[in-house]
Amino acid sequence: MTVYACVEGPLGAMLLVGEEISDGSAALASLSLPEQKGAVTVQEGWRHAPEAFETVAGQLRAYFAGRLTRFDVPLAGSGAGTEFQRRVWSALEEIPYGATASYGEIAARVGVSGAGVRAVGTAIGRNPLLVVRPCHRVIGADGSLRGYAAGPERKQLLLGLEGALAG
């Protein structure tokens, strides 16, 4: 059963969507933000179940309070995305809290070069787990804050929270 909840935070109302698991909690499939490109919307037949997301909601609160640097929540849809997207998303999870990587660096980590950087950017843009899977830590080679589905202001807020912005 697909379940969902909304959690308020400094980025706005975050929509959490997941698959209910046997203990009544949910394996997270998506975290999207208001006005995000390609944001998930609540569908007919989904059940509102805030209690199923207590673990991830608590971790999000701790992250935004500066007390959590890495999420540890059950994820749904291990087969979600293409094989290439999963490789890129895995590389995102290796970027430490408080650090950034360029699109070119991520491309090199997944074994592509040249025109492949654009494909890496597309895969990053399709990350269904904003904040939890840290696509906000990927910046332009020149240090510019580009390419965040929820907007550059939110990317700046997240990187500022993590202390990853110079000056």
Side-chain angles (χ1 to χ4, degrees):
M1 151 100 12
T2 300
V3 292
Y4 74 95
C6 290
V7 175
E8 287 295 329
L11 302 175
M14 298 172 282
L15 176 62
L16 309 177
V17 178
E19 295 299 320
E20 191 170 34
I21 52 182
S22 60
D23 66 359
S25 66
L28 187 65
S30 171
L31 186 157
S32 54
L33 301 169
E35 296 94 37
Q36 169 190 330
K37 292 179 200 167
V40 171
T41 57
V42 176
Q43 303 294 307
E44 189 174 327
W46 290 5
R47 185 169 61 82
H48 184 242
E51 69 285 353
F53 294 96
E54 286 178 9
T55 297
V56 70
Q59 288 188 29
L60 285 163
R61 285 190 291 275
Y63 169 80
F64 287 118
R67 298 187 316 267
L68 183 83
T69 61
R70 186 165 183 86
F71 291 91
D72 181 20
V73 296
L75 301 179
S78 60
T82 66
E83 187 274 331
F84 178 73
Q85 287 171 331
R86 289 191 304 273
R87 285 186 10 234
V88 171
W89 297 341
S90 178
L92 296 177
E93 293 170 357
E94 296 171 10
I95 306 169
Y97 180 92
T100 59
S102 71
Y103 290 91
E105 289 168 336
I106 298 299
R109 289 180 192 179
V110 299
V112 298
S113 60
V117 174
R118 176 171 248 120
V120 165
T122 299
I124 292 170
R126 293 200 174 128
N127 171 21
L129 297 168
L130 271 65
V131 183
V132 171
R133 184 181 292 134
C135 56
H136 60 275
R137 295 179 188 153
V138 182
I139 62 173
D142 61 359
S144 62
L145 304 183
R146 62 174 69 148
Y148 192 56
E153 304 81 16
R154 288 186 174 122
K155 186 173 201 162
Q156 184 171 11
L157 186 147
L158 292 168
L159 292 174
L161 171 79
E162 295 183 9
L165 296 178

